[in-house]
Amino acid sequence: MAEKHYKPEEIVAKLRQVDVLISQGQNIADAIRQIGVSEVTYYRWRREFGGMRIEQVKRLQNLERENIRLRNAVSDLTLDRLILQEVRAQLHVAEHRAGAAPRDTKELRPLDISRKRGPFRA
């Protein structure tokens, strides 16, 4: 039998349906069978979504998406910072090899393209 993937809203609805069936006098095993899932699935769902309302589940999904977006932003910024540190270290080594007096690496800042000077600047 193919495994069906339920949306969190559907899971909460099925959990509420089991609660209603139990309150009407059915035993837990029959109520679980009636919603069409295994006992293991029911207890896993209850552990994850038990006591939640549909609005809370939607809010949780939105927060999880936002969390992923923020993690990606932090990882991008961390990568940029590591690249800048590597460039700073290479500049320091290049100056040392050239025999120039090494500059304080704290005064090196990320390049600002609008102020960058070079042979192709008009």
Side-chain angles (χ1 to χ4, degrees):
M1 186 164 124
E3 184 177 315
K4 180 170 182 313
H5 295 281
Y6 293 97
K7 294 179 181 175
E9 296 87 7
E10 295 172 334
I11 293 171
V12 169
K14 287 192 176 281
L15 289 174
R16 298 197 105 202
Q17 185 180 356
V18 169
D19 290 341
V20 168
L21 292 172
I22 290 172
S23 68
Q24 292 175 350
Q26 282 191 359
N27 64 15
I28 294 177
D30 291 337
I32 293 171
R33 245 183 263 116
Q34 196 165 352
I35 65 167
V37 297
S38 69
E39 284 190 43
V40 174
T41 301
Y42 168 74
Y43 286 112
R44 183 172 37 87
W45 285 355
R46 200 172 88 179
R47 184 182 66 231
E48 188 173 348
F49 296 104
M52 292 180 100
R53 294 187 308 258
I54 292 176
E55 305 86 39
Q56 292 172 322
V57 171
K58 288 180 181 178
R59 175 130 172 88
L60 178 65
Q61 285 178 322
N62 289 337
L63 289 173
E64 287 174 348
R65 270 190 243 113
E66 179 72 10
N67 193 12
I68 289 170
R69 189 184 69 76
L70 291 173
R71 281 185 185 173
N72 288 338
V74 167
S75 66
D76 290 345
L77 290 173
T78 302
L79 182 61
D80 290 346
R81 190 175 134 259
L82 291 173
I83 289 170
L84 289 173
Q85 284 177 346
E86 186 175 327
V87 168
R88 183 179 291 164
Q90 288 175 357
L91 284 174
H92 186 70
V93 168
E95 286 178 349
H96 181 69
R97 284 186 184 158
R103 289 189 284 176
D104 185 16
T105 56
K106 290 182 182 177
E107 71 184 38
L108 293 176
R109 295 190 182 102
L111 296 177
D112 182 4
I113 301 299
S114 63
R115 297 185 321 177
K116 184 177 178 182
R117 296 176 193 209
F120 301 111
R121 185 173 176 151

